[in-house]
Amino acid sequence: MLETMKTDGNTKWFVKDRFGLFIHWGLYALPARHEWVMQQEEIMPDVYEKYFKHFDPDLYDPKVWAQAASGAGMKYFVITTKHHEGFCLWDSKLTDYKAPNTPYGKDLLTPMVEAFREQNMKVGFYHSLIDWHHPDFTIDDLHAQRNHPDRAKMNEKRDQKRYIEYLHGQVRELLTQFGKVDIMWFDFSYMPGTAGRPESWIGKGCKDWDSAGLYKMIRELMPEVILDDRLDLDGTWDIKTPEQFQPRQWVHFNGQPVVWEGCQTLSGSWGYHRDENTWKSVDQLVQMLIDTVSKGGNLLLNVGPTGRGEFDHRALNCLEGLGKWMKYNSRSIYGCTQAPAEFKAPEDCRLTYNPDTNRMYVHLFNWPCQHMYLDGFAGKVEYAQFLHDASEVKCKGLEEWQQDFVQDNDQGALSINLPVIKTNVTVPVIELFLK
Ligand code: GLC
C-alpha cells in the first residue's frame, strides 16, 4: 500500500468515504451565467446589488438536497459559505451582506448543516479568500473592478489588514457556531508567477490572508478539521485538490503520494448556469468516480442550485444515475484505493482494492469479447463474481490450447470467462476475493 504524507487534520474517514457533494450557491444563481459573472462582466458592486435585492429561494428545502446527495452515494458535502462575490449564506455578525437581509430573510446554512447531518453526512465549508464586495479588499488584477479608472485612488482607502480581520472573524464564526466541521476548503491564492500568471501580475497569497495566523486559529478551534491546499502556505494543508481534470496517477507532492480530492462540475460551471449545455453523462460520471478511486483519490462532484433553491432537473438526473450504480456497486468505492503495483489493470479497465477485506474490483469500461486476461493475478484469486448480482464469474489459468498463443510474460495471467452480451449495468464490476 502507498504510504501518504502525514496530515494534521483527520483524513481517516475521508479516504474511506471517497465521494462527496460540492454545492456552489450564492447570488450568482440569479444571473445564472457562471459564479464568476461579476468578475467576467465587470459588474460594479452597486449594480450587482440587484441580485441581493431579489434573492428569494422560496423552494429551498435542504432535506431534499441531502436526500438527493445521500441517494447518489455521497458521504459528505462542502457548501460555499461565501464565494468570491462576497455574499454570505449564514447570519454573520460581521456583515450585512448575508441571506437574512435578502427578501428570503433567513439563515440558509444552519438548516442545511442539520439536514445533511441527519443523512449521516460529514460537513465541509468552502470559504472564499477572495471578496469582490468587501470595501477593504484591495483591488488586484483579478478583481471585478480591476479596470476601474479610479482603481488606484480607491485602493488608497482600502486596508487589506482590516479585511484579514474580517476573514479570520468569519472563519471563527464558521468553526464555532455550527458544531463539528469536518472540512475547511479555502479558495484561492493567485500570486504572480504561479499558474502561468506574469511576474508583473498583482495577485494575492499567504500574506494577504495571514495564512499562518489563520492556520493557527483553525487548529486551536478545530484540531481535526481537514484543510485544502489553497492558502499558499505549505505545511498547512491535508489534501491536494486538482480541479476539473482527472490526474494521470496518484497525486504526489515533493515525490510523495498525498491524500487528494478531485473536484468536478456536472456541466461547465460551478454556479447554476441556465444555458450551459456541456453536461456529463451518467456513464462519464460513474467512470470519473471509479477512475479517481483507482488512483487513490476522492471525488467532490458539484451541483449549482437555482435561485429558487432547487437542484435543477439535469443535476438530479445525474445524481439519480450515480445512485443507481452505487446501490449495487458501492463496495468497489467505499474503503477502496489503488491496487497494489503487482496487479495490472487490463485494457479499458480500472482496478480498485479494499485492503481490509482483501478484495479486488475490476471495472469494465468496455465490454471485452468473452475472455479477459488479468496480468499478475494467476494463483491469487479464490473466488470471483459480478458485484451487482453476485453471480459467479469463472476464472482459471490459461488453457493448454491458449498457451500456444501467449507471450512468455503473460504467464502470470488469469483468464476470465465473460458472457458474450454485456450485463445491463453502466459499468460492470467483477469482485475478486484474493487468497
Ligand atoms: C475555482 C473558481 C471557483 C470554484 C473553485 C472550485 O478556483 O474560482 O469558482 O469555486 O474553483 O474548485
Side-chain angles (χ1 to χ4, degrees), residues 22 24 35-36 83-84 126 185 187-188 230 243 263 270:
F22 215 169
H24 275 66
E35 75 283 356
W36 276 60
H83 204 262
H84 310 335
Y126 166 111
W185 218 104
D187 195 36
F188 64 80
R230 300 184 180 190
E243 170 180 332
C263 50
W270 300 91

Side-chain angles (χ1 to χ4, degrees), residues 60 62 89-91 107-117 177-178:
Y60 172 57
L89 295 189
W90 81 102
D91 195 6
D107 166 23
L108 292 163
L109 191 57
T110 307
M112 198 185 307
V113 168
E114 282 167 6
F116 279 83
R117 281 211 187 105
Q177 295 172 14
F178 298 89

